[in-house]
């Protein structure tokens, strides 16, 4: 009830429609995300083209223009750590 921003963007309606779908990817447009947080770590999207042994090899394995972008990209700092 205290997260008024969720109501503003229609999260409740979206949750009813897509709850549990592994096909849905949500992008966070914010100051960052704590992808190590206990509530998020197991559920954060991982780029399949950069994950596993490719995660820190310093190569843009999926050829999308972003090196080792396993959990996303920080466009402000231009690095692969979109941490708040």
């Amino acid at each position: 009830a205290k997260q008024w921003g969720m109501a503003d963007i229609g999260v409740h309606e979206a949750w009813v429609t897509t709850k549990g779908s592994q096909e849905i990817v949500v992008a966070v447009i914010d100051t960052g995300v704590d992808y190590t947080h206990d509530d998020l770590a197991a559920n954060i999207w991982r780029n399949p083209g950069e994950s596993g042994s490719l995660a820190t090899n310093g190569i843009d394995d999926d050829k999308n223009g972003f090196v080792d972008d396993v959990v996303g990209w920080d466009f402000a700092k231009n690095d692969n750590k979109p941490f708040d």
Side-chain angles (χ1 to χ4, degrees), residues 18-26 45:
T18 64
K19 184 177 180 181
S21 173
Q22 296 295 315
E23 301 300 314
I24 302 300
V25 175
V26 177
W45 174 81

Side-chain angles (χ1 to χ4, degrees), residues 41-57:
N43 296 303
I44 200 87
W45 174 81
R46 303 238 180 241
N47 181 349
E50 298 281 0
S51 294
S53 62
L54 303 175
T56 58
N57 65 2

